[in-house]
């Protein structure tokens, strides 16, 4: 049973446009959600997080939205840049403060 | 060195070999993790150490044996592996379970393991 799902394995976006990466979860006990970015041959790097009591968190070009009733979160990147091309993982964190990851979405930003 | 380092970066081993993966964190964290990442799958948590004590073992086969001599170092000892164990093995560290808020994990670059 996959508690965190990223149903789109890949996404292509034109440079300068908005990238929207989606994530669904089933575990209502998650109290934080995190997004990580991963380049080939590197480990995932932390991008942005959101508490379950919030519905939005913004950091520069990156904004995460949380819809608790729909058990859905999304990461918006505006404007998208070629250097944003990477695999993006969402993760949920519960009371044990461990992370449960989705399977990732490959974002390609086209110049 | 800063962050989380892992050695070796690549490893090829036969099914009868014994090898070890090493992870070191320079962040002053108290928790360390081993993950397995297979192609097109989510990261699978294998082991968790909090303050050098193993707090999680996600039904990992005994051919994988972790060791955490101190809060900065973590090893994964490998013996009699199977070809399906070929994957990227990632180490991470975090503040640990005694903190508050999101316990953000910081990852090393991983070891690409191939079992022949």
């Amino acid at each position: 049973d996959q508690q965190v799902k990223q149903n789109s394995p890949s996404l292509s976006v034109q440079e300068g446009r908005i990238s929207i990466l989606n994530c669904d979860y089933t575990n209502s006990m998650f109290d934080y959600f995190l997004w990580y970015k991963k380049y080939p041959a590197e480990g995932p790097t932390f991008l942005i997080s959101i508490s379950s009591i919030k519905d939005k968190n913004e950091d520069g070009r990156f904004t995460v939205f949380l819809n608790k009733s729909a058990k859905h979160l999304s990461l918006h990147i505006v404007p998208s840049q070629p250097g944003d091309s990477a695999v993006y993982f969402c993760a949920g964190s519960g009371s044990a403060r461990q992370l449960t990851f989705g399977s990732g979405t490959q974002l390609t930003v086209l110049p | 060195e800063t962050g989380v380092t892992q050695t070796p970066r690549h490893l090829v081993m036969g099914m009868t070999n014994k090898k070890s993966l090493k992870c070191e964190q320079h962040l002053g964290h108290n928790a360390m993790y081993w993950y397995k990442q297979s192609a097109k799958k989510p990261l699978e948590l294998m082991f968790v150490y909090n303050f050098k004590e193993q707090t999680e073992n996600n039904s990992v086969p005994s051919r994988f044996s972790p060791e955490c001599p101190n809060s900065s170092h973590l090893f994964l000892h490998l013996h009699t592996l199977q070809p399906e164990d070929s994957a990227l093995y990632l180490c991470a560290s975090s503040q640990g379970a005694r903190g508050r808020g999101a316990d953000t994990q910081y990852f090393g670059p991983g070891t690409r393991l191939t079992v022949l």
Side-chain angles (χ1 to χ4, degrees):
Chain A
D1 172 37
Q2 214 171 323
Q3 298 183 46
V4 179
K5 294 181 184 177
Q6 294 177 257
N7 292 316
S8 298
S10 63
L11 173 69
S12 290
V13 169
Q14 208 67 37
E15 181 179 4
R17 298 289 189 105
I18 183 171
S19 295
I20 300 177
L21 298 139
N22 294 304
C23 181
D24 297 296
Y25 62 95
T26 57
N27 187 344
S28 55
M29 300 305 290
F30 287 143
D31 53 7
Y32 281 90
F33 299 90
L34 298 85
W35 283 94
Y36 283 80
K37 177 170 75 172
K38 185 181 183 302
Y39 292 118
E42 294 183 16
T45 54
F46 171 70
L47 205 53
I48 190 170
S49 65
I50 187 169
S51 164
S52 61
I53 63 172
K54 307 269 189 185
D55 55 19
K56 178 182 174 181
N57 187 27
E58 191 172 349
D59 183 1
R61 296 186 298 115
F62 302 91
T63 303
V64 57
F65 295 92
L66 175 62
N67 182 334
K68 280 189 74 174
S69 60
K71 293 195 173 74
H72 177 85
L73 64 154
S74 60
L75 175 67
H76 293 212
I77 307 174
V78 181
S80 301
Q81 299 172 354
D84 295 328
S85 297
V87 178
Y88 288 78
F89 293 95
C90 68
S93 173
S95 58
R97 304 179 80 228
Q98 293 169 15
L99 300 181
T100 302
F101 285 88
S103 53
T105 297
Q106 170 71 57
L107 173 66
T108 302
V109 180
L110 305 166
Chain B
E1 289 269 25
T2 58
V4 181
T5 57
Q6 288 186 244
T7 54
R9 294 294 307 274
H10 300 271
L11 179 62
V12 179
M13 60 187 288
M15 289 192 285
T16 57
N17 291 158
K18 288 186 181 181
K19 297 285 184 183
S20 295
L21 309 185
K22 179 183 174 183
C23 175
E24 186 172 357
Q25 59 95 2
H26 309 268
L27 300 169
H29 287 162
N30 300 301
M32 296 188 78
Y33 309 78
W34 280 117
Y35 287 88
K36 175 183 178 183
Q37 188 187 15
S38 304
K40 310 291 185 194
K41 287 188 178 179
L43 276 73
E44 300 171 46
L45 180 65
M46 299 175 72
F47 300 105
V48 181
Y49 279 83
N50 259 296
F51 296 86
K52 300 188 295 177
E53 299 293 321
Q54 189 180 133
T55 56
E56 188 83 19
N57 175 341
N58 265 3
S59 305
V60 180
S62 59
R63 57 185 183 270
F64 295 92
S65 173
E67 179 191 359
C68 188
N70 55 61
S71 56
S72 298
H73 293 86
L74 185 65
F75 295 90
L76 187 62
H77 304 299
L78 315 171
H79 61 99
T80 59
L81 294 193
Q82 306 297 311
E84 60 264 28
D85 296 322
S86 299
L88 180 68
Y89 288 85
L90 289 159
C91 173
S93 71
S94 71
Q95 262 195 317
R98 296 182 190 175
R100 287 179 170 245
D103 192 24
T104 304
Q105 293 179 21
Y106 297 86
F107 286 82
T111 296
R112 174 67 62 185
L113 174 67
T114 303
V115 181
L116 301 175

